[in-house]
Each structure stands twice: as C-alpha cells, then as structure tokens.
Amino acid sequence: MIRKAIIAAATLSTVVLPGIASADPIVGQPAPCVRLTDVTGPAFDVKQCGVSDVDQFRAGLENNGNAYCGPASLYNVLHYWGHEKNAPVGWQTTKTKNLDPMDQADYNVITNSIWRIGVDSSYNGGTKMSNLQTAWNIATKPARDAGWATAVGNINSKDTADFSGELAKKLNRGPVQMVYGRYSAGPQAGSLQRGGGHIVTVVAAKGSFNGSTVQLKLADPGRAGDHGSDGYLSTQSDYESLDVTLTKKTISQYSPVSDDADTPEDESLQPGTYTNVVRWELTGPRYVGSTRQMVETFNWFDMAPPVG
C-alpha cells in the first residue's frame, strides 16, 4: 500500500455518561464508516467511526517506535474524543482535534505526541496498561479543567464472566485499547508461556452476550500494509480496519520465577507456577505467526461535556 507524501470520581466508572454531539465525522477510519450502537437483546453490534490508525514505527522514537504500540494506540483513542466529540484533549497548546494524521504537515507533531504519551506512561522499552491510564488522565486534564468529566478503567479476561460483552458495552461509548500476549509452549505438555505482547485499538465488535466468540475490527499501529517500504518511518500509512476473531479459551499458563537482583541467589532457577486462566485467542488473516495470541485485558475510556 502506498504511503501518503480518570481523574474523575470513582463513581464515574459505573455512571452512564450522557451522549455528546458529533464534531468531526470525516477525519478517521477508512470510509465509508457507519456507526453502530446495538447493545440490546442477546447480541451486540458496535462500531465507532472517526478513530485514527496512526503508525507506531516512526523516526525519532526509540528503536524507530518498535515498542510504541501502547502510546500509538492510545493516541487513536484521544484522536476520537478530540475529533468526534470536540473534547479539548492533548498537551499544552497541542490538541488532537487540531491534528490530522493523514496530513503530512502534522506528522512530526503527532510523532511528538506519541512520544509524550510514552513519557506519561513511563515507557521503558514498553508500556503497561495501568500506566497508559495515567497517560490518558494527563492528556484529558485540559478537558477536566474546562468542566468535562472523564473516566477510565481496565477489564481482565481472567476474572470477567462476559469479557466480550463488557468490551462491546464499553466500546459503545468510545474506542478501547486492548492487549494480547504472545504465547508459546511451556515446560509441561499443554501449557503456555507468555513471551511479550502487543496493544491495539478496537473500533468494532460483533457477537453475542455471554458468547464464546466475537468478531472485532482493529486499528493496529504495528501492522501498516507498507511496513518496510521506502519512507515508512517518516510518513503515515493509509488507515485500515483489520478483521480478527476472539475465541474464549481456558489455558494452563506457566509463569517462571524472576531473579531478584538484590539477592545472591538466582531465583530464576526455581520452578515456576502453573495457573488455569481464561483468555481469548486472537486469530485473523494478518495475525499468523509462530506464537498464539491471547487477549488478556482492555482499557476503556469515557468522557462527558460540561452540563449546563
């Protein structure tokens, strides 16, 4: 593909925030895009429009952005709230609603914004979902200062009975940020061991409440169609919505013991532990590899404008 040259009260997590008038239905997902909001009855069909699909691989970021999937996928979320809901989110004089990732003139500012999200999420060769919530709270402070309410939270597949249903309900309010681990065979037959992960933005979900499979569409910052082509580190790729299926699985997860650098012993030589956990296996045409991809958690986000 050719490139183009909370910090709100805790109760907010359970409050249904009011709807917000759309501000910018154009700058976002691949056209055409029709928003879907069906979360009633036994099935759901949800789709958000106006979500960006920024690339994580950029000159100027550490290792050309190789591990900036977390900050880039959070930028997609902030873009949505800025463009679709006209929320004043960003940093100092930089606001996402004033930036267009497909405009080359904005490329460097967006790269700096992704870097800033990395700083605010304590990037150290990667980012944690909890720290990305902190980065959200920092980027949405201008909105709270202007009277907006904001909320953020995390839902884990291992202790959520209807993980896909919860994802659909949160997605109905705005795009969510989802992490999957890359798992390979563990020491015992049938066990799996995590060996890294990746964070994406979810823009659509279709399935049934209390079901065992769900169809998603992703904005994936690491899977540009022209990755590796000339100029890919200095230009934004065309937006894509990648189709994947999640299937509920119970796996035996092996967790090795980490060495404590402050003790003379090598704790990593001790036997690890095995735990049965529920994960959702991710498969799709663009997600074929030597490991199994297991969705673990997602961050959800919400905002509401000033009342009155």
Side-chain angles (χ1 to χ4, degrees), residues 69-130:
C69 54
S73 58
L74 182 56
Y75 183 93
N76 291 334
V77 174
L78 293 166
H79 173 99
Y80 168 85
W81 287 102
H83 281 267
E84 287 297 296
K85 307 303 180 182
N86 203 30
V89 296
W91 312 267
Q92 298 181 1
T93 59
T94 300
K95 299 294 183 288
T96 62
K97 66 180 180 179
N98 298 325
L99 299 173
D100 178 2
M102 300 307 296
D103 186 343
Q104 185 63 27
D106 290 339
Y107 187 85
N108 289 338
V109 177
I110 292 171
T111 299
N112 290 339
S113 299
I114 294 171
W115 171 84
R116 171 62 191 267
I117 294 172
V119 171
D120 293 340
S121 59
S122 302
Y123 171 90
N124 62 350
T127 48
K128 297 179 179 179
M129 296 293 272
S130 57

Short mmCIF file of all heavy atoms in Angstrom, two decimals, residues 69-130:
data_model
loop_
_atom_site.label_atom_id
_atom_site.label_comp_id
_atom_site.label_asym_id
_atom_site.label_seq_id
_atom_site.Cartn_x
_atom_site.Cartn_y
_atom_site.Cartn_z
N CYS A 69 3.58 0.59 20.61
CA CYS A 69 2.20 0.24 20.30
C CYS A 69 1.23 0.82 21.33
O CYS A 69 0.13 1.26 20.99
CB CYS A 69 2.03 -1.27 20.20
SG CYS A 69 2.60 -2.20 21.64
N GLY A 70 1.63 0.83 22.61
CA GLY A 70 0.76 1.38 23.65
C GLY A 70 0.48 2.85 23.46
O GLY A 70 -0.69 3.27 23.38
N PRO A 71 1.52 3.70 23.37
CA PRO A 71 1.27 5.13 23.14
C PRO A 71 0.54 5.42 21.83
O PRO A 71 -0.35 6.28 21.79
CB PRO A 71 2.69 5.72 23.13
CG PRO A 71 3.48 4.80 24.02
CD PRO A 71 2.92 3.43 23.72
N ALA A 72 0.87 4.70 20.75
CA ALA A 72 0.21 4.96 19.47
C ALA A 72 -1.26 4.57 19.52
O ALA A 72 -2.12 5.30 19.00
CB ALA A 72 0.93 4.20 18.35
N SER A 73 -1.57 3.44 20.13
CA SER A 73 -2.98 3.03 20.20
C SER A 73 -3.78 3.95 21.11
O SER A 73 -4.98 4.17 20.88
CB SER A 73 -3.10 1.57 20.66
OG SER A 73 -2.50 1.38 21.93
N LEU A 74 -3.14 4.52 22.14
CA LEU A 74 -3.84 5.49 22.97
C LEU A 74 -4.05 6.80 22.22
O LEU A 74 -5.08 7.47 22.39
CB LEU A 74 -3.07 5.75 24.27
CG LEU A 74 -3.74 6.73 25.24
CD1 LEU A 74 -5.16 6.30 25.60
CD2 LEU A 74 -2.90 6.89 26.51
N TYR A 75 -3.10 7.16 21.36
CA TYR A 75 -3.32 8.35 20.54
C TYR A 75 -4.60 8.19 19.71
O TYR A 75 -5.38 9.15 19.56
CB TYR A 75 -2.14 8.63 19.61
CG TYR A 75 -2.33 9.91 18.82
CD1 TYR A 75 -1.84 11.12 19.29
CD2 TYR A 75 -3.07 9.92 17.63
CE1 TYR A 75 -2.07 12.30 18.60
CE2 TYR A 75 -3.30 11.09 16.94
CZ TYR A 75 -2.81 12.28 17.42
OH TYR A 75 -3.05 13.45 16.75
N ASN A 76 -4.83 6.99 19.17
CA ASN A 76 -6.06 6.75 18.40
C ASN A 76 -7.30 7.06 19.23
O ASN A 76 -8.28 7.62 18.72
CB ASN A 76 -6.11 5.29 17.93
CG ASN A 76 -5.08 4.97 16.88
OD1 ASN A 76 -4.63 5.84 16.14
ND2 ASN A 76 -4.70 3.70 16.80
N VAL A 77 -7.28 6.66 20.49
CA VAL A 77 -8.41 6.93 21.38
C VAL A 77 -8.59 8.43 21.58
O VAL A 77 -9.70 8.97 21.48
CB VAL A 77 -8.20 6.22 22.73
CG1 VAL A 77 -9.31 6.61 23.72
CG2 VAL A 77 -8.16 4.71 22.55
N LEU A 78 -7.50 9.13 21.85
CA LEU A 78 -7.56 10.57 22.08
C LEU A 78 -7.99 11.31 20.81
O LEU A 78 -8.71 12.32 20.88
CB LEU A 78 -6.20 11.07 22.56
CG LEU A 78 -5.78 10.57 23.95
CD1 LEU A 78 -4.29 10.84 24.17
CD2 LEU A 78 -6.61 11.22 25.04
N HIS A 79 -7.56 10.82 19.66
CA HIS A 79 -7.99 11.41 18.39
C HIS A 79 -9.52 11.36 18.28
O HIS A 79 -10.16 12.34 17.89
CB HIS A 79 -7.35 10.66 17.22
CG HIS A 79 -7.85 11.08 15.87
ND1 HIS A 79 -7.16 11.95 15.06
CD2 HIS A 79 -8.98 10.75 15.19
CE1 HIS A 79 -7.84 12.14 13.94
NE2 HIS A 79 -8.95 11.42 13.99
N TYR A 80 -10.08 10.21 18.61
CA TYR A 80 -11.53 10.05 18.54
C TYR A 80 -12.24 11.09 19.40
O TYR A 80 -13.16 11.77 18.94
CB TYR A 80 -11.92 8.64 18.98
CG TYR A 80 -13.40 8.46 19.23
CD1 TYR A 80 -14.27 8.16 18.20
CD2 TYR A 80 -13.93 8.61 20.52
CE1 TYR A 80 -15.63 8.00 18.42
CE2 TYR A 80 -15.29 8.45 20.76
CZ TYR A 80 -16.13 8.15 19.71
OH TYR A 80 -17.48 8.01 19.94
N TRP A 81 -11.82 11.22 20.66
CA TRP A 81 -12.51 12.15 21.55
C TRP A 81 -12.30 13.60 21.12
O TRP A 81 -13.19 14.43 21.30
CB TRP A 81 -12.05 11.92 22.99
CG TRP A 81 -12.60 10.65 23.56
CD1 TRP A 81 -11.94 9.46 23.71
CD2 TRP A 81 -13.94 10.43 23.99
NE1 TRP A 81 -12.79 8.51 24.23
CE2 TRP A 81 -14.02 9.08 24.41
CE3 TRP A 81 -15.07 11.23 24.08
CZ2 TRP A 81 -15.20 8.52 24.90
CZ3 TRP A 81 -16.24 10.67 24.57
CH2 TRP A 81 -16.30 9.34 24.98
N GLY A 82 -11.17 13.89 20.52
CA GLY A 82 -10.95 15.24 20.03
C GLY A 82 -11.76 15.56 18.79
O GLY A 82 -12.41 16.61 18.71
N HIS A 83 -11.76 14.64 17.82
CA HIS A 83 -12.41 14.92 16.54
C HIS A 83 -13.90 14.63 16.56
O HIS A 83 -14.70 15.41 16.03
CB HIS A 83 -11.73 14.10 15.43
CG HIS A 83 -10.45 14.70 14.96
ND1 HIS A 83 -10.37 15.56 13.90
CD2 HIS A 83 -9.19 14.57 15.43
CE1 HIS A 83 -9.11 15.94 13.72
NE2 HIS A 83 -8.37 15.35 14.64
N GLU A 84 -14.30 13.51 17.14
CA GLU A 84 -15.71 13.13 17.10
C GLU A 84 -16.54 13.83 18.17
O GLU A 84 -17.72 14.09 17.97
CB GLU A 84 -15.84 11.62 17.26
CG GLU A 84 -15.41 10.83 16.04
CD GLU A 84 -16.29 11.12 14.83
OE1 GLU A 84 -17.50 10.82 14.89
OE2 GLU A 84 -15.78 11.67 13.84
N LYS A 85 -15.94 14.13 19.31
CA LYS A 85 -16.69 14.70 20.43
C LYS A 85 -16.24 16.11 20.79
O LYS A 85 -16.77 16.69 21.74
CB LYS A 85 -16.56 13.78 21.66
CG LYS A 85 -16.94 12.33 21.38
CD LYS A 85 -18.35 12.20 20.83
CE LYS A 85 -18.72 10.74 20.56
NZ LYS A 85 -20.07 10.60 19.97
N ASN A 86 -15.26 16.62 20.05
CA ASN A 86 -14.80 18.00 20.25
C ASN A 86 -14.25 18.24 21.65
O ASN A 86 -14.33 19.35 22.19
CB ASN A 86 -15.93 19.00 19.96
CG ASN A 86 -15.40 20.38 19.61
OD1 ASN A 86 -14.31 20.51 19.06
ND2 ASN A 86 -16.16 21.41 19.93
N ALA A 87 -13.68 17.21 22.24
CA ALA A 87 -13.10 17.34 23.58
C ALA A 87 -11.71 17.98 23.48
O ALA A 87 -10.92 17.61 22.61
CB ALA A 87 -13.00 15.98 24.25
N PRO A 88 -11.39 18.90 24.37
CA PRO A 88 -10.08 19.56 24.34
C PRO A 88 -9.01 18.69 25.01
O PRO A 88 -8.56 18.96 26.12
CB PRO A 88 -10.32 20.85 25.11
CG PRO A 88 -11.40 20.51 26.09
CD PRO A 88 -12.28 19.50 25.39
N VAL A 89 -8.61 17.63 24.33
CA VAL A 89 -7.62 16.71 24.90
C VAL A 89 -6.28 16.90 24.21
O VAL A 89 -6.20 17.15 23.01
CB VAL A 89 -8.09 15.24 24.78
CG1 VAL A 89 -9.34 15.02 25.60
CG2 VAL A 89 -8.33 14.85 23.32
N GLY A 90 -5.21 16.79 25.00
CA GLY A 90 -3.87 16.96 24.45
C GLY A 90 -2.91 17.47 25.51
O GLY A 90 -3.11 17.25 26.71
N TRP A 91 -1.91 18.21 25.06
CA TRP A 91 -0.81 18.62 25.93
C TRP A 91 -0.46 20.07 25.62
O TRP A 91 -0.09 20.40 24.48
CB TRP A 91 0.41 17.72 25.69
CG TRP A 91 0.02 16.27 25.69
CD1 TRP A 91 0.02 15.41 26.75
CD2 TRP A 91 -0.49 15.52 24.58
NE1 TRP A 91 -0.44 14.19 26.38
CE2 TRP A 91 -0.76 14.22 25.05
CE3 TRP A 91 -0.74 15.82 23.23
CZ2 TRP A 91 -1.27 13.22 24.22
CZ3 TRP A 91 -1.24 14.83 22.42
CH2 TRP A 91 -1.50 13.55 22.91
N GLN A 92 -0.59 20.93 26.62
CA GLN A 92 -0.28 22.36 26.48
C GLN A 92 -1.03 22.93 25.27
O GLN A 92 -2.25 22.89 25.23
CB GLN A 92 1.23 22.55 26.41
CG GLN A 92 1.96 22.09 27.67
CD GLN A 92 3.45 22.29 27.61
OE1 GLN A 92 4.01 22.81 26.65
NE2 GLN A 92 4.13 21.89 28.67
N THR A 93 -0.32 23.43 24.27
CA THR A 93 -1.00 24.03 23.11
C THR A 93 -1.37 23.01 22.05
O THR A 93 -2.05 23.35 21.07
CB THR A 93 -0.12 25.12 22.47
OG1 THR A 93 1.12 24.54 22.04
CG2 THR A 93 0.17 26.24 23.47
N THR A 94 -0.94 21.76 22.20
CA THR A 94 -1.23 20.72 21.22
C THR A 94 -2.53 20.01 21.59
O THR A 94 -2.64 19.45 22.69
CB THR A 94 -0.09 19.69 21.15
OG1 THR A 94 1.12 20.35 20.76
CG2 THR A 94 -0.41 18.59 20.15
N LYS A 95 -3.50 20.02 20.70
CA LYS A 95 -4.77 19.34 20.91
C LYS A 95 -5.03 18.40 19.73
O LYS A 95 -4.86 18.79 18.56
CB LYS A 95 -5.92 20.34 21.04
CG LYS A 95 -5.76 21.30 22.23
CD LYS A 95 -5.85 20.57 23.56
CE LYS A 95 -5.76 21.52 24.75
NZ LYS A 95 -4.39 22.05 24.94
N THR A 96 -5.47 17.19 20.02
CA THR A 96 -5.65 16.21 18.95
C THR A 96 -6.71 16.64 17.94
O THR A 96 -6.63 16.27 16.77
CB THR A 96 -6.04 14.83 19.52
OG1 THR A 96 -7.29 14.93 20.21
CG2 THR A 96 -4.97 14.32 20.48
N LYS A 97 -7.68 17.43 18.38
CA LYS A 97 -8.74 17.82 17.45
C LYS A 97 -8.23 18.76 16.36
O LYS A 97 -8.89 18.96 15.34
CB LYS A 97 -9.91 18.47 18.19
CG LYS A 97 -9.59 19.80 18.86
CD LYS A 97 -10.84 20.34 19.57
CE LYS A 97 -10.58 21.66 20.26
NZ LYS A 97 -11.81 22.18 20.92
N ASN A 98 -7.04 19.33 16.56
CA ASN A 98 -6.45 20.22 15.56
C ASN A 98 -5.47 19.51 14.65
O ASN A 98 -4.85 20.15 13.79
CB ASN A 98 -5.74 21.38 16.26
CG ASN A 98 -6.69 22.22 17.09
OD1 ASN A 98 -7.85 22.41 16.73
ND2 ASN A 98 -6.20 22.73 18.21
N LEU A 99 -5.31 18.20 14.81
CA LEU A 99 -4.32 17.44 14.04
C LEU A 99 -5.00 16.40 13.17
O LEU A 99 -5.98 15.78 13.57
CB LEU A 99 -3.33 16.75 14.99
CG LEU A 99 -2.51 17.66 15.91
CD1 LEU A 99 -1.72 16.82 16.90
CD2 LEU A 99 -1.59 18.55 15.09
N ASP A 100 -4.44 16.20 11.99
CA ASP A 100 -4.93 15.17 11.06
C ASP A 100 -3.76 14.24 10.75
O ASP A 100 -2.82 14.64 10.05
CB ASP A 100 -5.45 15.82 9.79
CG ASP A 100 -5.93 14.79 8.76
OD1 ASP A 100 -5.88 13.58 9.05
OD2 ASP A 100 -6.35 15.21 7.66
N PRO A 101 -3.79 13.00 11.23
CA PRO A 101 -2.67 12.08 10.97
C PRO A 101 -2.39 11.85 9.49
O PRO A 101 -1.27 11.48 9.13
CB PRO A 101 -3.12 10.79 11.65
CG PRO A 101 -4.01 11.24 12.76
CD PRO A 101 -4.76 12.41 12.17
N MET A 102 -3.38 12.06 8.62
CA MET A 102 -3.17 11.86 7.20
C MET A 102 -2.59 13.09 6.51
O MET A 102 -2.31 13.05 5.31
CB MET A 102 -4.50 11.47 6.53
CG MET A 102 -5.11 10.18 7.07
SD MET A 102 -3.97 8.77 7.06
CE MET A 102 -3.70 8.56 5.31
N ASP A 103 -2.40 14.16 7.25
CA ASP A 103 -1.80 15.38 6.72
C ASP A 103 -0.31 15.35 7.05
O ASP A 103 0.07 15.39 8.22
CB ASP A 103 -2.47 16.60 7.33
CG ASP A 103 -2.00 17.91 6.71
OD1 ASP A 103 -0.93 17.92 6.05
OD2 ASP A 103 -2.68 18.94 6.90
N GLN A 104 0.54 15.29 6.04
CA GLN A 104 1.98 15.20 6.27
C GLN A 104 2.49 16.38 7.09
O GLN A 104 3.47 16.24 7.83
CB GLN A 104 2.72 15.13 4.93
CG GLN A 104 4.22 14.92 5.04
CD GLN A 104 4.61 13.60 5.69
OE1 GLN A 104 3.85 12.63 5.62
NE2 GLN A 104 5.77 13.55 6.32
N ALA A 105 1.83 17.52 7.00
CA ALA A 105 2.26 18.69 7.76
C ALA A 105 2.14 18.47 9.27
O ALA A 105 2.83 19.14 10.05
CB ALA A 105 1.44 19.91 7.34
N ASP A 106 1.29 17.53 9.68
CA ASP A 106 1.09 17.25 11.11
C ASP A 106 1.91 16.06 11.60
O ASP A 106 1.84 15.71 12.78
CB ASP A 106 -0.39 16.98 11.39
CG ASP A 106 -1.25 18.22 11.25
OD1 ASP A 106 -0.71 19.34 11.33
OD2 ASP A 106 -2.48 18.08 11.05
N TYR A 107 2.67 15.44 10.70
CA TYR A 107 3.32 14.18 11.05
C TYR A 107 4.26 14.31 12.25
O TYR A 107 4.21 13.51 13.19
CB TYR A 107 4.09 13.63 9.85
CG TYR A 107 4.64 12.24 10.08
CD1 TYR A 107 3.86 11.11 9.87
CD2 TYR A 107 5.95 12.05 10.54
CE1 TYR A 107 4.34 9.84 10.09
CE2 TYR A 107 6.45 10.78 10.77
CZ TYR A 107 5.64 9.68 10.54
OH TYR A 107 6.13 8.42 10.79
N ASN A 108 5.12 15.32 12.24
CA ASN A 108 6.09 15.45 13.32
C ASN A 108 5.43 15.79 14.65
O ASN A 108 5.87 15.31 15.71
CB ASN A 108 7.13 16.51 12.96
CG ASN A 108 8.07 16.06 11.85
OD1 ASN A 108 8.23 14.86 11.61
ND2 ASN A 108 8.68 17.01 11.16
N VAL A 109 4.39 16.60 14.61
CA VAL A 109 3.69 16.94 15.86
C VAL A 109 3.03 15.69 16.44
O VAL A 109 3.05 15.48 17.67
CB VAL A 109 2.63 18.04 15.61
CG1 VAL A 109 1.86 18.34 16.89
CG2 VAL A 109 3.30 19.31 15.10
N ILE A 110 2.48 14.85 15.58
CA ILE A 110 1.86 13.61 16.07
C ILE A 110 2.92 12.65 16.60
O ILE A 110 2.71 11.99 17.63
CB ILE A 110 1.01 12.97 14.95
CG1 ILE A 110 -0.20 13.87 14.67
CG2 ILE A 110 0.57 11.56 15.33
CD1 ILE A 110 -1.00 13.48 13.46
N THR A 111 4.08 12.59 15.94
CA THR A 111 5.18 11.79 16.48
C THR A 111 5.56 12.27 17.87
O THR A 111 5.74 11.47 18.80
CB THR A 111 6.40 11.85 15.56
OG1 THR A 111 6.05 11.33 14.27
CG2 THR A 111 7.56 11.04 16.12
N ASN A 112 5.67 13.58 18.04
CA ASN A 112 5.98 14.14 19.36
C ASN A 112 4.89 13.82 20.38
O ASN A 112 5.17 13.58 21.56
CB ASN A 112 6.17 15.66 19.26
CG ASN A 112 7.44 16.04 18.52
OD1 ASN A 112 8.37 15.24 18.41
ND2 ASN A 112 7.48 17.25 17.99
N SER A 113 3.64 13.80 19.92
CA SER A 113 2.53 13.49 20.82
C SER A 113 2.60 12.04 21.28
O SER A 113 2.35 11.73 22.46
CB SER A 113 1.19 13.76 20.12
OG SER A 113 1.07 15.13 19.76
N ILE A 114 2.93 11.14 20.37
CA ILE A 114 3.09 9.72 20.74
C ILE A 114 4.25 9.57 21.72
O ILE A 114 4.17 8.81 22.70
CB ILE A 114 3.29 8.87 19.48
CG1 ILE A 114 2.01 8.89 18.62
CG2 ILE A 114 3.68 7.43 19.83
CD1 ILE A 114 2.17 8.26 17.25
N TRP A 115 5.34 10.30 21.46
CA TRP A 115 6.47 10.29 22.40
C TRP A 115 6.03 10.78 23.77
O TRP A 115 6.39 10.19 24.80
CB TRP A 115 7.59 11.16 21.85
CG TRP A 115 8.70 11.39 22.85
CD1 TRP A 115 9.76 10.56 23.11
CD2 TRP A 115 8.84 12.50 23.73
NE1 TRP A 115 10.56 11.10 24.10
CE2 TRP A 115 10.02 12.29 24.50
CE3 TRP A 115 8.09 13.66 23.94
CZ2 TRP A 115 10.45 13.20 25.47
CZ3 TRP A 115 8.52 14.57 24.91
CH2 TRP A 115 9.69 14.33 25.65
N ARG A 116 5.23 11.86 23.80
CA ARG A 116 4.76 12.42 25.06
C ARG A 116 3.89 11.40 25.82
O ARG A 116 4.01 11.26 27.04
CB ARG A 116 3.98 13.71 24.82
CG ARG A 116 3.27 14.28 26.05
CD ARG A 116 4.25 14.65 27.16
NE ARG A 116 3.56 14.93 28.41
CZ ARG A 116 3.18 16.16 28.79
NH1 ARG A 116 3.40 17.20 28.02
NH2 ARG A 116 2.57 16.32 29.95
N ILE A 117 3.04 10.69 25.11
CA ILE A 117 2.24 9.65 25.76
C ILE A 117 3.17 8.59 26.36
O ILE A 117 2.93 8.08 27.46
CB ILE A 117 1.26 9.01 24.76
CG1 ILE A 117 0.21 10.03 24.32
CG2 ILE A 117 0.57 7.79 25.38
CD1 ILE A 117 -0.68 9.54 23.19
N GLY A 118 4.26 8.28 25.64
CA GLY A 118 5.23 7.34 26.18
C GLY A 118 5.84 7.83 27.48
O GLY A 118 5.99 7.07 28.44
N VAL A 119 6.20 9.09 27.52
CA VAL A 119 6.76 9.67 28.75
C VAL A 119 5.74 9.58 29.89
O VAL A 119 6.06 9.15 31.01
CB VAL A 119 7.17 11.14 28.53
CG1 VAL A 119 7.55 11.81 29.85
CG2 VAL A 119 8.33 11.21 27.55
N ASP A 120 4.50 9.96 29.61
CA ASP A 120 3.46 9.98 30.64
C ASP A 120 3.05 8.58 31.08
O ASP A 120 2.46 8.41 32.15
CB ASP A 120 2.24 10.75 30.14
CG ASP A 120 2.53 12.24 29.96
OD1 ASP A 120 3.51 12.73 30.54
OD2 ASP A 120 1.78 12.90 29.21
N SER A 121 3.34 7.57 30.25
CA SER A 121 3.01 6.19 30.61
C SER A 121 4.24 5.41 31.06
O SER A 121 4.23 4.18 31.08
CB SER A 121 2.34 5.47 29.43
OG SER A 121 3.18 5.47 28.29
N SER A 122 5.30 6.15 31.41
CA SER A 122 6.53 5.54 31.95
C SER A 122 7.12 4.50 31.00
O SER A 122 7.51 3.41 31.42
CB SER A 122 6.26 4.92 33.33
OG SER A 122 5.78 5.89 34.23
N TYR A 123 7.19 4.84 29.73
CA TYR A 123 7.77 3.94 28.73
C TYR A 123 9.20 3.57 29.13
O TYR A 123 10.01 4.45 29.43
CB TYR A 123 7.78 4.61 27.36
CG TYR A 123 8.56 3.85 26.31
CD1 TYR A 123 7.94 2.88 25.53
CD2 TYR A 123 9.92 4.08 26.12
CE1 TYR A 123 8.65 2.17 24.57
CE2 TYR A 123 10.64 3.38 25.17
CZ TYR A 123 10.00 2.42 24.40
OH TYR A 123 10.71 1.71 23.46
N ASN A 124 9.50 2.28 29.13
CA ASN A 124 10.86 1.82 29.42
C ASN A 124 11.21 0.62 28.55
O ASN A 124 11.66 -0.41 29.02
CB ASN A 124 11.01 1.46 30.90
CG ASN A 124 10.09 0.33 31.33
OD1 ASN A 124 9.22 -0.07 30.56
ND2 ASN A 124 10.29 -0.20 32.52
N GLY A 125 10.99 0.78 27.26
CA GLY A 125 11.11 -0.34 26.34
C GLY A 125 9.79 -1.03 26.12
O GLY A 125 9.69 -2.04 25.43
N GLY A 126 8.74 -0.47 26.68
CA GLY A 126 7.37 -0.98 26.59
C GLY A 126 6.51 -0.20 27.56
O GLY A 126 7.00 0.65 28.31
N THR A 127 5.21 -0.44 27.54
CA THR A 127 4.30 0.25 28.44
C THR A 127 3.31 -0.72 29.05
O THR A 127 2.97 -1.74 28.45
CB THR A 127 3.51 1.36 27.71
OG1 THR A 127 2.96 0.83 26.49
CG2 THR A 127 4.39 2.55 27.39
N LYS A 128 2.85 -0.40 30.26
CA LYS A 128 1.85 -1.19 30.95
C LYS A 128 0.48 -0.54 30.77
O LYS A 128 0.36 0.68 30.64
CB LYS A 128 2.17 -1.28 32.44
CG LYS A 128 3.48 -1.99 32.76
CD LYS A 128 3.72 -2.02 34.27
CE LYS A 128 5.01 -2.74 34.60
NZ LYS A 128 5.26 -2.75 36.08
N MET A 129 -0.56 -1.37 30.79
CA MET A 129 -1.91 -0.85 30.61
C MET A 129 -2.27 0.14 31.72
O MET A 129 -2.95 1.14 31.47
CB MET A 129 -2.91 -2.00 30.57
CG MET A 129 -2.73 -2.93 29.37
SD MET A 129 -3.09 -2.13 27.79
CE MET A 129 -4.86 -2.43 27.68
N SER A 130 -1.83 -0.13 32.95
CA SER A 130 -2.13 0.79 34.05
C SER A 130 -1.47 2.14 33.84
O SER A 130 -2.07 3.20 34.12
CB SER A 130 -1.69 0.18 35.38
OG SER A 130 -0.30 -0.13 35.36
#
